[in-house]
Structures are given as structure tokens and as C-alpha cells.
Amino acid sequence: MTIRKNITKRDFIKNAGLTTAAAATATVASPYVIRAQGAPIKWRMQTYAGSALGEHVIKPSIEAFNKAANGEMVIELYYADQLVPQGELFRSVQKGTIDAAQSDDDSAAAPVDVKIFAAYFPFASRYSLDVPALWEWWGLRKIWEEAYGEVEGVTWLSTGAWDPCNFGTTKPIKSVADLKGLRVYMFPTGGQFMQQFGVVPVALPYEDVEVAIQTGELDGVCWCGITEMYTVGWADVLKYYLTNNISGAWAGSYFVNTERWNALPPHLQELFKLSIDNSHYYRAHWYWWGEAHYRTTGGKLELTSIPDAEWQTVADAAVKFWDEAAKISPRCAKVVEILRNYNETMAKAGPPYRCA
């Protein structure tokens, strides 16, 4: 039999006070509230993109990372050529001049055989979803990890999709012949491919492109889709937009200095990976919205098209270009085989994957 002790009001208040004090002490000492000790880890990161484009392709994700890091780490973001020239970007990450980079492997001059497939490898994709599907489900992630595992000082983390690659020009293009002689700002591999049609690829610092178009040094760009042309101001100095593209999506990567990466605690590594995924997701819907929006309501660029039958000659030339790329190395041959199998599968699947 349990004997209940009568508790007076004074005893109740006294005991309640002791309990509250003990709980407060336990809360103060509780280990689950962790605050950053000392100065935060600081990284410098440079993107391939200029400031206007960077506002979309990376800034939101870095701001989210800095906020979520809660004082433990801060990433300082720099835009195209602000710290180092684009062509020296990869080497700068390798040397530790900067800690991380967002860029395609091609224009950053990554010392790997597979860099040719980054940015705009001609006719490798038709839609933005092709890129993550190829990397995450068709084996390209494993190949990229293998390739960059042979390079000291840099860790490759992820590849995602950007926009398609179309011509924006000061002269109308209505046939393949109209491409001849055009001086165009392009990525290295895309420019190499289009030279056979008379295009003259021109390399310039990103921020100089608009002025070069105004002065006539450039006849146009084949660097992006219509979303970027409007976002960065190129639509203000160009007149025409060719709806035929040489690739359905740019493939861009994230690189980090290996020593700095390994020095991060696991939770900050995971947080950075999540910020990359956040950036991939933002671009997916932003570009998908923008490509249709600016074609239909932009109002600054006149749309032109090359007939499908004639444009097929350019697509056929890409097949030969793929054959040459496969000769670079056994690894490149494997990538080309994957691209062929992937595109054959998409064609067999039919709409919406591929249309006749």
C-alpha cells in the first residue's frame, strides 16, 4: 500500500523552484547547442560567370551555404576573371590561390582527357535533364572521378546542366552558309567544331564581350541560350537569335582544392555538396522558364531558323567529331560509347525524350 505524503503549498513552490533551477542548469550545459569557436573557415571561390549571370547560377546557393554554416565557415564569391583569368582557373585551384571554382572543364583548362566533353560537346544532349542523367545514371560520374583522381591537388565534386548553346548575332542566320566568316565568342571545343562551317572562334575576357560586339570586333556569341543573352545585356547589342542549337545543355563542374577540402569537417563537406545541388536545381527551373519566356516575350532579338533538313548536315558532322574525340584515349572512347548508347535509348523511348 502506497502512503501519500501531504504536500503543503509552500513545499510545492519550493520543490518547483528547485526543479526549474535544475532544468535551467541542464539546458545551459546541454551539448546539442554548438556554436562556432574562434574565427570561421574562409574560402575564396571563383565562377566562370560574370556578375549579372552569377546572380543566378551560383550566388543564391553560396548565400544559403554561408547562412547555414552558422558562422563556422564563409565562402567569398568572385566572378569571371576577378581573381584569376578563366584559362588559369583550374591551375589556381590546384595551387591553392583560390579554394574552389565553378566552371566547365574545357575553358578552365583542366588537365584531363575528358575535358573536351564539358561545356558544349556538339549534339551530346538535347535537354538539360540529359546532363545529370548521363553523370548520375549512365556512368559519367565514375569516369570523371577516375580522371580527376589522377590529378594532384584538385577534387572534382559534381557536374550539372546549364542552358543550351545557340547563336546570337548582329547578322541574320537563315542557312548554314550564313555562318561563314562570322567572328563568334565561343567555348574552345564548340568553336573547334564549328570552324568547319566557316565560323571564326574568338577568345576574349567575359566582361569584354558586349563592347566587342558594339565595336564590330565580334559578330556574335555562341556561348549560351537566350536567357543569358538577356540577363547579361548581350541582347541589347545583338539583333538575331538562331533557334537551332549545337547542344541542348552546357555541362559545368565544381572543383575544390584537395587539401582545403580534406581539412573541412564532414558536416561542412556535406553542406557544400548540398549547396551545389541547390545551385543545380535553381538553374534547372530558371533556364527552363527563361528559354521560353525570352523567345516569346523578350522583344529585343528576332528569331531565325535554319531548316531542319539543312541543320541535319551540322548534326551529321558532329558524329565524325565524336569519332575523333574517341581517339584521344580509351577513356574518351568509353564516354563516346556512353553518349551514343544514351542518345539511341532516348530516340527509342520517343516523346518526350526525343521527337522524330
Side-chain angles (χ1 to χ4, degrees):
M1 180 177 178
T2 302
I3 301 174
R4 299 183 63 182
K5 180 182 178 181
N6 293 327
I7 300 175
T8 66
K9 183 176 180 181
R10 177 177 293 180
D11 290 335
F12 176 81
I13 294 174
K14 181 179 179 181
N15 290 337
L18 291 172
T19 303
T20 303
T25 302
T27 301
V28 171
S30 177
Y32 71 81
V33 179
I34 301 174
R35 296 188 181 276
Q37 300 296 318
I41 300 168
K42 286 192 176 182
W43 271 19
R44 298 197 303 172
M45 181 175 187
Q46 182 170 307
T47 175
Y48 76 98
S51 57
L53 181 60
E55 287 281 337
H56 291 279
V57 300
I58 190 169
K59 186 180 178 182
S61 65
I62 296 303
E63 289 179 337
F65 174 91
N66 288 339
K67 183 177 181 180
N70 198 31
E72 292 185 67
M73 182 172 174
V74 174
I75 298 177
E76 298 173 350
L77 180 63
Y78 296 87
Y79 299 109
D81 304 310
Q82 281 192 326
L83 294 180
V84 298
Q86 175 65 18
E88 299 176 14
L89 190 57
F90 189 92
R91 295 294 185 186
S92 297
V93 174
Q94 193 173 38
K95 294 176 182 177
T97 305
I98 55 179
D99 304 293
Q102 178 203 49
S103 176
D104 67 286
D105 321 46
D106 198 18
S107 67
V112 292
D113 49 2
V114 295
K115 71 176 181 180
I116 191 174
F117 302 105
Y120 292 120
F121 189 64
F123 293 87
S125 64
R126 185 170 295 187
Y127 306 115
S128 56
L129 278 175
D130 291 335
V131 172
L134 282 163
W135 259 263
E136 303 302 331
W137 296 99
W138 281 74
L140 293 195
R141 167 173 282 277
K142 183 177 180 180
I143 292 174
W144 256 243
E145 289 173 342
E146 175 191 274
Y148 284 100
E150 299 169 1
V151 179
E152 291 187 7
V154 176
T155 298
W156 168 88
L157 292 179
S158 180
T159 292
W162 271 251
D163 51 341
C165 186
N166 295 69
F167 282 87
T169 57
T170 57
K171 305 172 183 178
I173 301 174
K174 298 181 179 180
S175 70
V176 173
D178 291 335
L179 296 169
K180 189 173 182 179
L182 292 182
R183 294 160 296 179
V184 182
Y185 178 61
M186 299 188 72
F187 285 93
T189 297
Q192 180 185 350
F193 170 68
M194 291 305 298
Q195 280 182 308
Q196 64 188 292
F197 300 101
V199 174
V200 181
V202 179
L204 288 172
Y206 184 89
E207 296 296 341
D208 293 345
V209 172
E210 185 171 343
V211 174
I213 296 170
Q214 291 175 302
T215 60
E217 183 180 354
L218 285 177
D219 298 307
V221 300
C222 189
W223 175 272
C224 58
I226 199 167
T227 307
E228 284 192 23
M229 292 184 194
Y230 275 84
T231 300
V232 305
W234 293 345
D236 296 328
V237 293
L238 296 169
K239 295 181 180 179
Y240 304 94
Y241 179 81
L242 181 66
T243 59
N244 312 77
N245 64 53
I246 67 170
S247 180
W250 191 75
S253 291
Y254 282 75
F255 306 95
V256 292
N257 177 274
T258 300
E259 184 178 351
R260 302 289 176 80
W261 177 249
N262 290 339
L264 288 185
H267 71 285
L268 289 179
Q269 289 184 343
E270 290 303 314
L271 185 61
F272 188 70
K273 290 177 183 178
L274 287 171
S275 78
I276 292 173
D277 288 340
N278 177 279
S279 177
H280 289 336
Y281 174 67
Y282 181 100
R283 292 191 317 273
H285 60 74
W286 180 60
Y287 279 122
W288 190 253
W289 161 80
E291 296 305 301
H293 172 77
Y294 288 112
R295 281 194 186 198
T296 56
T297 65
K300 295 178 180 179
L301 299 176
E302 180 181 335
L303 305 185
T304 65
S305 297
I306 296 174
D308 290 342
E310 186 178 355
W311 189 246
Q312 186 60 43
T313 62
V314 181
D316 292 342
V319 175
K320 297 179 180 179
F321 191 82
W322 288 21
D323 291 338
E324 293 302 311
K327 296 176 184 178
I328 295 174
S329 70
R331 188 158 51 208
C332 287
K334 189 174 182 179
V335 174
V336 170
E337 181 183 8
I338 289 173
L339 291 177
R340 292 191 195 284
N341 291 338
Y342 177 80
N343 279 281
E344 287 175 5
T345 299
M346 295 299 104
K348 290 178 181 177
Y353 298 96
R354 295 293 186 266
C355 298

